[in-house]
Amino acid sequence: MNDIFARRRQKLLAMKAFRDRQTHPDALGEACPHCGASSSRKALSAALYVCPRCGHHFPIGAYYRLSILLDPGSFRELGNRSAVFDPLQFPGYRKKLETAQRMTGLSEAVVIATGSIDGHKAVLGVLDNRFLMGSMSAEVGERVTTAIETAARQKLPLILFSASGGARMQEGILSLMQMAKTSAALARLDEKGGLYISVLTDPTTGGVTASFASLGDIILAEPGALIGFAGPRVIQQTIGQSLPEGFQRAEFQMEHGFVDAIVPRDRLRATLAQLLELHSKGGRI
Amino acid sequence: MSEPLSPSERVAVARNPGRPNIPDFISALFTDFFEQRGDRLCGEDAGILGGIARFHGRPVTVLGTRKGKTLEENLACNFGMPSPEGYRKALRLMRQAEKFRRPVLTFIDTPGAYPGLEAEARGQGEAIARNLLEMSRLTVPVVAIVTGEGNSGGALALGVADRVLMLENAVYSILSPEGFASILWKDAGRSAEACGLMKLTAPDLKRLGVIDEIVPEPAGGAHLAPEIAFAQLDQALVRCLTQLSKPSGAALTAARYQKFRQMGTVPIPGKEEP
Ligand SMILES: [Zn+2]
């Protein structure tokens, strides 16, 4: 086997995941926004960035998420070009992109890769909220579409983790069109009988909700994740009253029929492994 | 064509209450319209008008967002902001069109999908996403026409088409200019400035490859001489449907896929930096 290469890949992912964690709550000394508890660096990291006191799930970086999910040495990143695309020549956008790249070490707001979970190979895409709020740029749409097309071509299951504030305003209508592009790619995957598991994490809103995030054969969510099309502030302005407790949270979405299961972060790998296993061939009848 | 309007002038014209709306287009361009109601799941949304009609004698499914003209109509249609029921009704009609091999014509004029409490609880995001997916694989011709303002996913949910037409002074964008300015600069008052940057006019969108054809309007806007706009749109639709009637269903969906697949990947002519 290609042990040396697997070890090298594992090391690379570990390095990228380590860099991710430089912006995680322990590194920033953040208190839990839900219960106010401040936890030690060690405790938070051991708990996969879930508040040990109240179970609040902190947002995590894309590489870190992959590092806690994938079998060691199985991570292979797909398209990761770091070209700066500014289709509308929007004032200040180039600089904003470059700053986001420098701050996060990411080239865009999504990482796509192949890897295996408990021996089941899959194509994965992970949106990263730290990069311009995980907003949908043309490059994000392109990478997500590439992930979908790769899954269809290689007959692999697809798992997409969403975390997005919605559209990338500076790319205007071309950001909007990524909703059509990714959804159309999912139609093709669907027709080929491909499995798509969508995992909704905090927050999943706007154009990502109104496209690929809502189209999974199976939809999972992390506890407490905000999931909706319109953001809470916009809704509040529209209806002129405050929103009910828990509105648009993962639990609300499950109650309203839009989520199959809420899975805490420490159960996610096992749950995905179970689902991939259930979609593999087998049985005697 | 006369002196072109500025982007913010076009936004004003696109929103002019006297501008032809979907009932006007249906009565001017189609015959034998039969309205269909309800999503067959839980409700009816008057914010989407749809049904079967004949276009130059050929049965078609026609549907689109409806704003209403009087205040009473505005309220009944929620000012053209559809709820999930509206999008699901649209999907039901489009699937039926496919069953009976009718082309689908959609009219888009909406401030956006309704951002309300119930709309969210009933899955506004899911309803829009589902339409995008299903429209991409309809095996009958689909033509979308942006007639007024086409804002956000609420507009795109009727816009995954083989041909996307735009009336000359219509606008099509990620969000209303007011919303855009308030998100980007926390100042809705800077909407005129946003209009200039957003590339929301028909000529801009044609250049970006987002739309296929611009339908000319009379000087000053379609509300000043609607019959001229109707005649122009009629010609354009005849041309589109004639072209789209030849390919097989599989060829249509393959071409539609490629059309949206390349959006945002191809360098834009004359816009690319060295
Ligand atoms: Zn806590």
Side-chain angles (χ1 to χ4, degrees):
Chain A
M1 292 293 283
N2 294 323
D3 258 6
I4 298 165
F5 294 110
R7 267 203 299 278
R8 206 171 278 170
R9 284 198 298 275
Q10 179 60 9
K11 217 167 170 181
L12 181 71
L13 179 58
M15 270 165 52
K16 291 188 163 187
F18 179 77
R19 172 148 196 197
D20 265 10
R21 289 165 60 181
Q22 302 313 302
T23 58
H24 283 178
D26 62 349
L28 301 171
E30 263 178 42
C32 172
H34 197 249
C35 72
S38 19
S39 312
S40 74
R41 171 176 287 242
K42 222 172 122 188
L44 255 189
S45 154
L48 309 177
Y49 300 93
V50 174
C51 173
R53 187 151 113 195
C54 75
H56 170 75
H57 283 53
F58 285 94
I60 53 175
Y63 290 112
Y64 174 70
R65 184 178 286 284
L66 288 163
S67 77
I68 60 175
L69 207 63
L70 296 180
D71 298 341
S74 69
F75 168 78
R76 281 167 197 264
E77 189 158 3
L78 301 168
N80 179 18
R81 53 179 187 164
S82 65
V84 170
F85 184 65
D86 180 14
L88 304 191
Q89 317 241 302
F90 200 89
Y93 181 44
R94 262 169 196 277
K95 212 169 151 216
K96 220 174 160 111
L97 270 178
E98 284 159 5
T99 306
Q101 289 175 340
R102 212 173 40 247
M103 301 276 286
T104 60
L106 298 164
S107 54
E108 248 295 351
V110 66
V111 174
I112 57 173
T114 59
S116 56
I117 297 174
D118 209 11
H120 298 281
K121 196 174 174 195
V123 178
L124 299 104
V126 186
L127 272 80
D128 195 315
N129 196 39
R130 296 168 305 155
F131 194 101
L132 300 178
M133 292 166 68
S135 53
M136 179 107 95
S137 63
E139 179 62 17
V140 167
E142 180 61 24
R143 289 187 192 180
V144 169
T145 304
T146 301
I148 299 167
E149 288 178 340
T150 304
R153 198 170 49 244
Q154 299 188 14
K155 298 192 194 317
L156 290 172
L158 170 73
I159 306 171
L160 297 179
F161 289 81
S162 293
S164 176
R168 182 80 52 86
M169 289 299 149
Q170 297 89 343
E171 295 190 18
I173 195 89
L174 291 176
S175 168
L176 188 71
M177 291 301 140
Q178 305 311 310
M179 294 166 61
K181 178 158 122 185
T182 53
S183 301
L186 285 171
R188 292 194 146 191
L189 177 66
D190 179 60
E191 269 160 31
K192 291 199 164 173
L195 168 66
Y196 165 36
I197 302 172
S198 171
V199 187
L200 311 178
T201 74
D202 190 46
T204 297
T205 60
V208 166
T209 299
S211 63
F212 59 86
S214 293
L215 294 170
D217 297 300
I218 292 168
I219 301 184
L220 309 177
E222 284 199 334
L226 181 81
I227 302 158
F229 176 58
R233 217 168 334 147
V234 175
I235 302 170
Q236 212 158 314
Q237 275 169 14
T238 309
I239 63 170
Q241 60 194 60
S242 55
L243 300 172
E245 182 72 24
F247 182 68
Q248 289 185 316
R249 295 286 161 188
E251 296 73 15
F252 172 96
Q253 295 293 359
M254 187 165 77
E255 206 172 291
H256 284 80
F258 295 103
V259 166
D260 286 290
I262 293 171
V263 186
R265 195 167 288 161
D266 63 352
R267 296 280 314 145
L268 204 49
R269 181 178 147 86
T271 304
L272 288 171
Q274 181 198 0
L275 287 169
L276 295 175
E277 171 63 29
L278 281 169
H279 285 81
S280 59
K281 302 251 185 305
R284 270 165 294 156
I285 50 168
Chain B
M1 272 183 251
S2 58
E3 187 71 11
L5 303 172
S6 74
S8 60
E9 285 168 338
R10 286 186 205 245
V11 171
V13 169
R15 291 174 179 173
N16 187 306
R19 193 169 171 83
N21 59 16
I22 185 167
D24 300 329
F25 286 112
I26 290 178
S27 55
L29 273 65
F30 301 84
T31 61
D32 307 292
F33 178 62
F34 174 78
E35 182 177 353
Q36 293 176 278
R37 296 183 179 86
D39 65 358
R40 298 295 189 271
L41 296 164
C42 72
E44 153 66 5
D45 178 6
I48 299 257
L49 172 65
I52 314 163
R54 284 187 188 274
F55 181 69
H56 290 263
R58 178 170 182 189
V60 296
T61 285
V62 51
L63 60 94
T65 50
R66 169 166 54 186
K67 284 181 170 173
K69 278 199 171 156
T70 64
L71 182 62
E72 202 172 296
E73 284 173 5
N74 293 155
L75 290 168
C77 303
N78 204 13
F79 298 86
M81 293 181 282
S83 289
E85 297 75 46
Y87 292 116
R88 290 175 183 139
K89 170 171 75 174
L91 181 56
R92 178 174 79 83
L93 301 194
M94 291 190 277
R95 282 184 169 148
Q96 203 174 90
E98 184 175 45
K99 174 180 175 185
F100 295 108
R101 311 309 302 164
R102 292 191 289 261
V104 175
L105 304 173
T106 70
F107 288 80
I108 297 167
D109 179 18
T110 176
Y114 186 56
L117 210 67
E118 293 82 9
E120 286 292 319
R122 293 196 293 263
Q124 189 70 283
E126 193 276 343
I128 293 169
R130 189 69 51 195
N131 277 19
L132 301 179
L133 185 151
E134 295 297 346
M135 280 189 91
S136 78
R137 62 180 173 194
L138 289 173
T139 57
V140 290
V142 184
V143 180
I145 310 112
V146 185
T147 64
E149 56 178 336
N151 290 348
S152 92
L156 182 62
L158 303 180
V160 185
D162 303 304
R163 297 280 188 280
V164 181
L165 313 185
M166 239 176 120
L167 263 58
E168 187 185 341
N169 294 313
V171 292
Y172 190 10
S173 58
I174 182 87
L175 194 63
S176 70
E178 294 81 1
F180 188 91
S182 85
I183 286 187
L184 216 54
W185 305 310
K186 314 264 173 272
D187 182 2
R190 288 170 72 181
S191 65
E193 188 182 341
C195 289
L197 294 171
M198 287 171 78
K199 307 279 190 285
L200 43 63
T201 69
D204 280 334
L205 294 168
K206 179 114 197 313
R207 235 177 342 259
L208 288 169
V210 170
I211 65 158
D212 300 290
E213 202 173 317
I214 301 173
V215 182
E217 288 186 34
H223 58 289
L224 297 176
E227 60 288 352
I228 296 178
F230 295 146
Q232 293 283 354
L233 180 57
D234 186 68
Q235 277 179 27
L237 289 177
V238 168
R239 197 164 50 241
C240 286
L241 287 183
T242 308
Q243 289 164 3
L244 296 170
S245 295
K246 288 173 200 107
S248 67
L252 280 175
T253 55
R256 198 182 305 138
Y257 185 76
Q258 286 312 324
K259 173 181 167 66
F260 285 89
R261 177 69 186 84
Q262 56 81 31
M263 282 189 196
T265 58
V266 178
I268 296 134
K271 290 270 163 181
E272 204 56 8
E273 283 179 31

